[in-house]
PDB file of all heavy atoms in Angstrom:
ATOM      1  N   LEU A  56     -14.687 -12.951  -1.155  1.00 97.00           N
ATOM      2  CA  LEU A  56     -13.960 -12.681   0.078  1.00 97.00           C
ATOM      3  C   LEU A  56     -12.558 -12.218  -0.283  1.00 97.00           C
ATOM      4  O   LEU A  56     -11.837 -12.900  -1.017  1.00 97.00           O
ATOM      5  CB  LEU A  56     -13.894 -13.946   0.935  1.00 97.00           C
ATOM      6  CG  LEU A  56     -13.088 -13.850   2.241  1.00 97.00           C
ATOM      7  CD1 LEU A  56     -13.715 -12.839   3.200  1.00 97.00           C
ATOM      8  CD2 LEU A  56     -12.987 -15.230   2.910  1.00 97.00           C
ATOM      9  N   VAL A  57     -12.165 -11.054   0.213  1.00 97.00           N
ATOM     10  CA  VAL A  57     -10.819 -10.523  -0.025  1.00 97.00           C
ATOM     11  C   VAL A  57     -10.011 -10.670   1.254  1.00 97.00           C
ATOM     12  O   VAL A  57     -10.447 -10.240   2.328  1.00 97.00           O
ATOM     13  CB  VAL A  57     -10.878  -9.051  -0.460  1.00 97.00           C
ATOM     14  CG1 VAL A  57      -9.464  -8.466  -0.545  1.00 97.00           C
ATOM     15  CG2 VAL A  57     -11.584  -8.917  -1.800  1.00 97.00           C
ATOM     16  N   LEU A  58      -8.818 -11.275   1.137  1.00 96.00           N
ATOM     17  CA  LEU A  58      -7.944 -11.508   2.280  1.00 96.00           C
ATOM     18  C   LEU A  58      -6.610 -10.793   2.091  1.00 96.00           C
ATOM     19  O   LEU A  58      -6.026 -10.820   1.006  1.00 96.00           O
ATOM     20  CB  LEU A  58      -7.675 -13.005   2.465  1.00 96.00           C
ATOM     21  CG  LEU A  58      -8.861 -13.887   2.878  1.00 96.00           C
ATOM     22  CD1 LEU A  58      -8.439 -15.347   2.891  1.00 96.00           C
ATOM     23  CD2 LEU A  58      -9.401 -13.477   4.235  1.00 96.00           C
ATOM     24  N   ASN A  59      -6.159 -10.162   3.151  1.00 93.00           N
ATOM     25  CA  ASN A  59      -4.846  -9.508   3.178  1.00 93.00           C
ATOM     26  C   ASN A  59      -4.123 -10.045   4.408  1.00 93.00           C
ATOM     27  O   ASN A  59      -4.355  -9.592   5.529  1.00 93.00           O
ATOM     28  CB  ASN A  59      -5.014  -7.989   3.249  1.00 93.00           C
ATOM     29  CG  ASN A  59      -3.682  -7.252   3.299  1.00 93.00           C
ATOM     30  OD1 ASN A  59      -2.611  -7.858   3.367  1.00 93.00           O
ATOM     31  ND2 ASN A  59      -3.741  -5.933   3.288  1.00 93.00           N
ATOM     32  N   CYS A  60      -3.258 -11.032   4.193  1.00 92.00           N
ATOM     33  CA  CYS A  60      -2.577 -11.710   5.298  1.00 92.00           C
ATOM     34  C   CYS A  60      -1.208 -11.086   5.543  1.00 92.00           C
ATOM     35  O   CYS A  60      -0.341 -11.108   4.667  1.00 92.00           O
ATOM     36  CB  CYS A  60      -2.408 -13.193   4.987  1.00 92.00           C
ATOM     37  SG  CYS A  60      -3.974 -14.105   4.890  1.00 92.00           S
ATOM     38  N   ILE A  65      -4.606 -10.712   9.779  1.00 93.00           N
ATOM     39  CA  ILE A  65      -5.408 -11.000   8.588  1.00 93.00           C
ATOM     40  C   ILE A  65      -6.511  -9.949   8.513  1.00 93.00           C
ATOM     41  O   ILE A  65      -7.321  -9.827   9.441  1.00 93.00           O
ATOM     42  CB  ILE A  65      -6.076 -12.399   8.642  1.00 93.00           C
ATOM     43  CG1 ILE A  65      -5.063 -13.500   8.883  1.00 93.00           C
ATOM     44  CG2 ILE A  65      -6.853 -12.663   7.341  1.00 93.00           C
ATOM     45  CD1 ILE A  65      -5.701 -14.862   9.179  1.00 93.00           C
ATOM     46  N   LYS A  66      -6.533  -9.188   7.428  1.00 93.00           N
ATOM     47  CA  LYS A  66      -7.639  -8.268   7.184  1.00 93.00           C
ATOM     48  C   LYS A  66      -8.547  -8.888   6.127  1.00 93.00           C
ATOM     49  O   LYS A  66      -8.069  -9.576   5.224  1.00 93.00           O
ATOM     50  CB  LYS A  66      -7.123  -6.910   6.704  1.00 93.00           C
ATOM     51  CG  LYS A  66      -6.259  -6.178   7.712  1.00 93.00           C
ATOM     52  CD  LYS A  66      -5.736  -4.874   7.126  1.00 93.00           C
ATOM     53  CE  LYS A  66      -4.807  -4.168   8.094  1.00 93.00           C
ATOM     54  NZ  LYS A  66      -4.222  -2.937   7.499  1.00 93.00           N
ATOM     55  N   TYR A  67      -9.840  -8.605   6.231  1.00 95.00           N
ATOM     56  CA  TYR A  67     -10.748  -9.188   5.245  1.00 95.00           C
ATOM     57  C   TYR A  67     -11.935  -8.277   4.973  1.00 95.00           C
ATOM     58  O   TYR A  67     -12.316  -7.437   5.791  1.00 95.00           O
ATOM     59  CB  TYR A  67     -11.256 -10.552   5.712  1.00 95.00           C
ATOM     60  CG  TYR A  67     -12.210 -10.520   6.884  1.00 95.00           C
ATOM     61  CD1 TYR A  67     -13.593 -10.456   6.688  1.00 95.00           C
ATOM     62  CD2 TYR A  67     -11.741 -10.531   8.195  1.00 95.00           C
ATOM     63  CE1 TYR A  67     -14.471 -10.411   7.768  1.00 95.00           C
ATOM     64  CE2 TYR A  67     -12.604 -10.492   9.275  1.00 95.00           C
ATOM     65  CZ  TYR A  67     -13.970 -10.436   9.056  1.00 95.00           C
ATOM     66  OH  TYR A  67     -14.836 -10.387  10.128  1.00 95.00           O
ATOM     67  N   LYS A  68     -12.498  -8.442   3.779  1.00 95.00           N
ATOM     68  CA  LYS A  68     -13.775  -7.824   3.397  1.00 95.00           C
ATOM     69  C   LYS A  68     -14.544  -8.835   2.556  1.00 95.00           C
ATOM     70  O   LYS A  68     -13.947  -9.547   1.735  1.00 95.00           O
ATOM     71  CB  LYS A  68     -13.560  -6.545   2.578  1.00 95.00           C
ATOM     72  CG  LYS A  68     -13.241  -5.305   3.369  1.00 95.00           C
ATOM     73  CD  LYS A  68     -13.261  -4.063   2.464  1.00 95.00           C
ATOM     74  CE  LYS A  68     -12.915  -2.807   3.252  1.00 95.00           C
ATOM     75  NZ  LYS A  68     -12.934  -1.591   2.377  1.00 95.00           N
ATOM     76  N   LEU A  69     -15.842  -8.886   2.756  1.00 96.00           N
ATOM     77  CA  LEU A  69     -16.705  -9.724   1.932  1.00 96.00           C
ATOM     78  C   LEU A  69     -17.575  -8.806   1.091  1.00 96.00           C
ATOM     79  O   LEU A  69     -18.321  -7.976   1.622  1.00 96.00           O
ATOM     80  CB  LEU A  69     -17.568 -10.641   2.791  1.00 96.00           C
ATOM     81  CG  LEU A  69     -18.503 -11.588   2.013  1.00 96.00           C
ATOM     82  CD1 LEU A  69     -17.693 -12.593   1.188  1.00 96.00           C
ATOM     83  CD2 LEU A  69     -19.436 -12.339   2.980  1.00 96.00           C
ATOM     84  N   PHE A  70     -17.458  -8.933  -0.236  1.00 96.00           N
ATOM     85  CA  PHE A  70     -18.199  -8.089  -1.173  1.00 96.00           C
ATOM     86  C   PHE A  70     -19.315  -8.882  -1.843  1.00 96.00           C
ATOM     87  O   PHE A  70     -19.135 -10.052  -2.211  1.00 96.00           O
ATOM     88  CB  PHE A  70     -17.285  -7.574  -2.293  1.00 96.00           C
ATOM     89  CG  PHE A  70     -16.265  -6.562  -1.850  1.00 96.00           C
ATOM     90  CD1 PHE A  70     -15.014  -6.965  -1.398  1.00 96.00           C
ATOM     91  CD2 PHE A  70     -16.537  -5.211  -1.921  1.00 96.00           C
ATOM     92  CE1 PHE A  70     -14.060  -6.037  -1.014  1.00 96.00           C
ATOM     93  CE2 PHE A  70     -15.595  -4.275  -1.528  1.00 96.00           C
ATOM     94  CZ  PHE A  70     -14.351  -4.684  -1.077  1.00 96.00           C
ATOM     95  N   VAL A  77     -20.226  -3.825   0.534  1.00 92.00           N
ATOM     96  CA  VAL A  77     -19.373  -4.514   1.501  1.00 92.00           C
ATOM     97  C   VAL A  77     -20.296  -5.145   2.536  1.00 92.00           C
ATOM     98  O   VAL A  77     -20.934  -4.451   3.327  1.00 92.00           O
ATOM     99  CB  VAL A  77     -18.387  -3.542   2.183  1.00 92.00           C
ATOM    100  CG1 VAL A  77     -17.559  -4.296   3.234  1.00 92.00           C
ATOM    101  CG2 VAL A  77     -17.476  -2.887   1.168  1.00 92.00           C
ATOM    102  N   THR A  79     -19.480  -7.307   5.020  1.00 92.00           N
ATOM    103  CA  THR A  79     -18.846  -7.255   6.342  1.00 92.00           C
ATOM    104  C   THR A  79     -17.355  -7.081   6.144  1.00 92.00           C
ATOM    105  O   THR A  79     -16.814  -7.358   5.068  1.00 92.00           O
ATOM    106  CB  THR A  79     -19.131  -8.529   7.155  1.00 92.00           C
ATOM    107  OG1 THR A  79     -18.634  -8.367   8.485  1.00 92.00           O
ATOM    108  CG2 THR A  79     -18.473  -9.750   6.534  1.00 92.00           C
ATOM    109  N   GLN A  80     -16.683  -6.603   7.186  1.00 93.00           N
ATOM    110  CA  GLN A  80     -15.236  -6.451   7.118  1.00 93.00           C
ATOM    111  C   GLN A  80     -14.664  -6.507   8.530  1.00 93.00           C
ATOM    112  O   GLN A  80     -15.367  -6.260   9.511  1.00 93.00           O
ATOM    113  CB  GLN A  80     -14.867  -5.126   6.467  1.00 93.00           C
ATOM    114  CG  GLN A  80     -15.373  -3.893   7.197  1.00 93.00           C
ATOM    115  CD  GLN A  80     -15.051  -2.620   6.452  1.00 93.00           C
ATOM    116  OE1 GLN A  80     -13.907  -2.400   6.059  1.00 93.00           O
ATOM    117  NE2 GLN A  80     -16.053  -1.771   6.238  1.00 93.00           N
ATOM    118  N   GLY A  81     -13.395  -6.849   8.598  1.00 94.00           N
ATOM    119  CA  GLY A  81     -12.753  -6.918   9.910  1.00 94.00           C
ATOM    120  C   GLY A  81     -11.333  -7.406   9.791  1.00 94.00           C
ATOM    121  O   GLY A  81     -10.732  -7.389   8.713  1.00 94.00           O
ATOM    122  N   GLY A  82     -10.785  -7.849  10.915  1.00 93.00           N
ATOM    123  CA  GLY A  82      -9.421  -8.324  10.897  1.00 93.00           C
ATOM    124  C   GLY A  82      -9.009  -8.984  12.194  1.00 93.00           C
ATOM    125  O   GLY A  82      -9.568  -8.704  13.261  1.00 93.00           O
ATOM    126  N   ILE A  83      -8.052  -9.880  12.070  1.00 94.00           N
ATOM    127  CA  ILE A  83      -7.451 -10.538  13.226  1.00 94.00           C
ATOM    128  C   ILE A  83      -6.076  -9.925  13.444  1.00 94.00           C
ATOM    129  O   ILE A  83      -5.322  -9.695  12.495  1.00 94.00           O
ATOM    130  CB  ILE A  83      -7.325 -12.051  12.997  1.00 94.00           C
ATOM    131  CG1 ILE A  83      -8.712 -12.701  12.937  1.00 94.00           C
ATOM    132  CG2 ILE A  83      -6.481 -12.702  14.093  1.00 94.00           C
ATOM    133  CD1 ILE A  83      -8.679 -14.177  12.617  1.00 94.00           C
ATOM    134  N   LEU A  93     -10.201 -11.000  17.112  1.00 95.00           N
ATOM    135  CA  LEU A  93     -10.861 -10.642  15.865  1.00 95.00           C
ATOM    136  C   LEU A  93     -11.751  -9.438  16.119  1.00 95.00           C
ATOM    137  O   LEU A  93     -12.558  -9.437  17.052  1.00 95.00           O
ATOM    138  CB  LEU A  93     -11.705 -11.815  15.354  1.00 95.00           C
ATOM    139  CG  LEU A  93     -12.694 -11.524  14.207  1.00 95.00           C
ATOM    140  CD1 LEU A  93     -11.955 -11.094  12.952  1.00 95.00           C
ATOM    141  CD2 LEU A  93     -13.556 -12.750  13.931  1.00 95.00           C
ATOM    142  N   LYS A  94     -11.586  -8.410  15.299  1.00 94.00           N
ATOM    143  CA  LYS A  94     -12.437  -7.226  15.388  1.00 94.00           C
ATOM    144  C   LYS A  94     -13.150  -7.069  14.048  1.00 94.00           C
ATOM    145  O   LYS A  94     -12.513  -7.116  12.991  1.00 94.00           O
ATOM    146  CB  LYS A  94     -11.599  -5.983  15.692  1.00 94.00           C
ATOM    147  CG  LYS A  94     -12.419  -4.697  15.863  1.00 94.00           C
ATOM    148  CD  LYS A  94     -11.519  -3.483  16.096  1.00 94.00           C
ATOM    149  CE  LYS A  94     -10.878  -3.551  17.466  1.00 94.00           C
ATOM    150  NZ  LYS A  94     -10.097  -2.309  17.785  1.00 94.00           N
ATOM    151  N   PHE A  95     -14.457  -6.883  14.060  1.00 93.00           N
ATOM    152  CA  PHE A  95     -15.200  -6.778  12.808  1.00 93.00           C
ATOM    153  C   PHE A  95     -16.448  -5.924  12.996  1.00 93.00           C
ATOM    154  O   PHE A  95     -16.839  -5.595  14.128  1.00 93.00           O
ATOM    155  CB  PHE A  95     -15.592  -8.167  12.289  1.00 93.00           C
ATOM    156  CG  PHE A  95     -16.507  -8.944  13.191  1.00 93.00           C
ATOM    157  CD1 PHE A  95     -17.890  -8.929  13.018  1.00 93.00           C
ATOM    158  CD2 PHE A  95     -15.987  -9.711  14.233  1.00 93.00           C
ATOM    159  CE1 PHE A  95     -18.728  -9.649  13.854  1.00 93.00           C
ATOM    160  CE2 PHE A  95     -16.818 -10.433  15.079  1.00 93.00           C
ATOM    161  CZ  PHE A  95     -18.193 -10.400  14.887  1.00 93.00           C
ATOM    162  N   THR A  96     -17.061  -5.561  11.867  1.00 87.00           N
ATOM    163  CA  THR A  96     -18.322  -4.821  11.865  1.00 87.00           C
ATOM    164  C   THR A  96     -19.434  -5.792  11.514  1.00 87.00           C
ATOM    165  O   THR A  96     -19.394  -6.429  10.456  1.00 87.00           O
ATOM    166  CB  THR A  96     -18.282  -3.674  10.841  1.00 87.00           C
ATOM    167  OG1 THR A  96     -17.157  -2.832  11.122  1.00 87.00           O
ATOM    168  CG2 THR A  96     -19.553  -2.849  10.902  1.00 87.00           C
ATOM    169  N   GLY A 115      -6.804 -18.771  11.967  1.00 94.00           N
ATOM    170  CA  GLY A 115      -7.388 -17.445  11.842  1.00 94.00           C
ATOM    171  C   GLY A 115      -8.436 -17.383  10.749  1.00 94.00           C
ATOM    172  O   GLY A 115      -9.540 -16.842  10.944  1.00 94.00           O
ATOM    173  N   PHE A 118     -11.519 -19.220  11.731  1.00 95.00           N
ATOM    174  CA  PHE A 118     -12.306 -18.423  12.671  1.00 95.00           C
ATOM    175  C   PHE A 118     -13.117 -17.360  11.924  1.00 95.00           C
ATOM    176  O   PHE A 118     -14.309 -17.149  12.187  1.00 95.00           O
ATOM    177  CB  PHE A 118     -11.380 -17.777  13.698  1.00 95.00           C
ATOM    178  CG  PHE A 118     -12.089 -17.080  14.824  1.00 95.00           C
ATOM    179  CD1 PHE A 118     -13.295 -17.558  15.339  1.00 95.00           C
ATOM    180  CD2 PHE A 118     -11.547 -15.938  15.404  1.00 95.00           C
ATOM    181  CE1 PHE A 118     -13.944 -16.912  16.388  1.00 95.00           C
ATOM    182  CE2 PHE A 118     -12.186 -15.289  16.450  1.00 95.00           C
ATOM    183  CZ  PHE A 118     -13.391 -15.774  16.942  1.00 95.00           C
ATOM    184  N   ILE A 119     -12.478 -16.681  10.972  1.00 95.00           N
ATOM    185  CA  ILE A 119     -13.191 -15.677  10.164  1.00 95.00           C
ATOM    186  C   ILE A 119     -14.364 -16.309   9.434  1.00 95.00           C
ATOM    187  O   ILE A 119     -15.484 -15.778   9.439  1.00 95.00           O
ATOM    188  CB  ILE A 119     -12.220 -15.016   9.169  1.00 95.00           C
ATOM    189  CG1 ILE A 119     -11.239 -14.103   9.906  1.00 95.00           C
ATOM    190  CG2 ILE A 119     -12.989 -14.209   8.108  1.00 95.00           C
ATOM    191  CD1 ILE A 119     -10.082 -13.620   9.052  1.00 95.00           C
ATOM    192  N   LEU A 120     -14.137 -17.457   8.806  1.00 95.00           N
ATOM    193  CA  LEU A 120     -15.209 -18.124   8.058  1.00 95.00           C
ATOM    194  C   LEU A 120     -16.341 -18.563   8.980  1.00 95.00           C
ATOM    195  O   LEU A 120     -17.525 -18.487   8.617  1.00 95.00           O
ATOM    196  CB  LEU A 120     -14.645 -19.327   7.297  1.00 95.00           C
ATOM    197  CG  LEU A 120     -13.710 -18.984   6.125  1.00 95.00           C
ATOM    198  CD1 LEU A 120     -13.037 -20.236   5.601  1.00 95.00           C
ATOM    199  CD2 LEU A 120     -14.490 -18.301   5.009  1.00 95.00           C
ATOM    200  N   ILE A 122     -17.297 -17.021  11.630  1.00 94.00           N
ATOM    201  CA  ILE A 122     -18.062 -15.821  11.971  1.00 94.00           C
ATOM    202  C   ILE A 122     -18.937 -15.390  10.795  1.00 94.00           C
ATOM    203  O   ILE A 122     -20.076 -14.935  10.979  1.00 94.00           O
ATOM    204  CB  ILE A 122     -17.109 -14.684  12.397  1.00 94.00           C
ATOM    205  CG1 ILE A 122     -16.393 -15.048  13.703  1.00 94.00           C
ATOM    206  CG2 ILE A 122     -17.863 -13.363  12.559  1.00 94.00           C
ATOM    207  CD1 ILE A 122     -17.323 -15.273  14.888  1.00 94.00           C
ATOM    208  N   LEU A 123     -18.418 -15.545   9.562  1.00 94.00           N
ATOM    209  CA  LEU A 123     -19.208 -15.170   8.385  1.00 94.00           C
ATOM    210  C   LEU A 123     -20.490 -15.989   8.277  1.00 94.00           C
ATOM    211  O   LEU A 123     -21.495 -15.510   7.725  1.00 94.00           O
ATOM    212  CB  LEU A 123     -18.378 -15.358   7.107  1.00 94.00           C
ATOM    213  CG  LEU A 123     -17.158 -14.448   6.906  1.00 94.00           C
ATOM    214  CD1 LEU A 123     -16.463 -14.769   5.592  1.00 94.00           C
ATOM    215  CD2 LEU A 123     -17.578 -12.986   6.934  1.00 94.00           C
ATOM    216  N   GLU A 438      -9.016  -3.272  -1.451  1.00 93.00           N
ATOM    217  CA  GLU A 438      -9.836  -4.490  -1.365  1.00 93.00           C
ATOM    218  C   GLU A 438     -10.865  -4.541  -2.496  1.00 93.00           C
ATOM    219  O   GLU A 438     -11.103  -5.602  -3.080  1.00 93.00           O
ATOM    220  CB  GLU A 438     -10.539  -4.563  -0.012  1.00 93.00           C
ATOM    221  CG  GLU A 438      -9.617  -4.787   1.174  1.00 93.00           C
ATOM    222  CD  GLU A 438      -8.996  -3.513   1.696  1.00 93.00           C
ATOM    223  OE1 GLU A 438      -9.340  -2.420   1.180  1.00 93.00           O
ATOM    224  OE2 GLU A 438      -8.160  -3.594   2.604  1.00 93.00           O
TER     225      GLU A 438
END
Side-chain angles (χ1 to χ4, degrees):
L56 177 63
V57 173
L58 293 175
N59 179 355
C60 294
I65 305 170
K66 297 177 183 176
Y67 70 92
K68 279 189 181 180
L69 181 65
F70 290 89
V77 177
T79 187
Q80 61 184 310
I83 293 176
L93 168 63
K94 182 183 290 186
F95 62 95
T96 304
F118 188 34
I119 289 169
L120 291 170
I122 294 299
L123 294 180
E438 292 84 4

